[in-house]
Amino acid sequence: MGATFNWKEKDTLPTTEALEELLQKLNKVIACEYTLEAQQAGIRPTTGDRRPLVGAHPNHNQLVLLNGLGTRGTMMSPYLAKVLFEHLELGNPLDEEISISRFPKKF
């Protein structure tokens, strides 16, 4: 049904507090009976600067990324896919703001 935005917890254990928060929010938007079948928890993946990762891996150029879009970034995915295609097929340079090469020490 959704997710919490708890930045303090660094594990994947579901909590009663998170479930209560989500159920409270759900009950504000629906007025029908429902059945809770399961509760799961996870860690939100993100990049260090919260920007997309686009381009070929510097050490394994057969691996190409279009990732790190996040919830807001998904609106940019058609544009970023076009940019990546034009980079790979036409040799157009990638903007440093999205290029995977902005993290050279990670590889």
Side-chain angles (χ1 to χ4, degrees):
M1 80 177 105
T4 63
F5 291 91
N6 181 342
W7 297 102
K8 295 177 184 174
E9 302 297 325
K10 304 291 187 206
D11 59 44
T12 58
L13 301 173
T15 66
T16 303
E17 293 83 11
L19 179 59
E20 289 173 2
E21 176 185 337
L22 293 170
L23 290 175
Q24 185 178 41
K25 290 177 180 179
L26 178 66
N27 290 329
K28 287 182 180 180
V29 295
I30 66 170
C32 62
E33 290 188 29
Y34 57 85
T35 303
L36 178 65
E37 295 188 12
Q39 178 187 6
Q40 297 178 335
I43 298 172
R44 292 176 182 271
T46 187
T47 58
D49 58 7
R50 300 182 70 188
R51 293 189 208 128
L53 293 171
V54 180
H57 188 284
N59 300 328
H60 307 282
N61 63 1
Q62 72 276 18
L63 299 175
V64 179
L65 289 173
L66 175 54
N67 205 339
L69 300 178
T71 54
R72 292 188 181 112
T74 54
M75 294 183 292
M76 296 176 56
S77 60
Y79 166 75
L80 292 173
K82 181 178 186 268
V83 167
L84 179 59
F85 171 80
E86 291 173 352
H87 171 69
L88 296 173
E89 294 297 319
L90 306 176
N92 293 356
L94 292 171
D95 188 307
E96 185 64 26
E97 295 287 314
I98 64 168
S99 176
I100 189 174
S101 66
R102 71 183 188 274
F103 294 111
K105 294 181 182 179
K106 299 291 182 188
F107 304 104

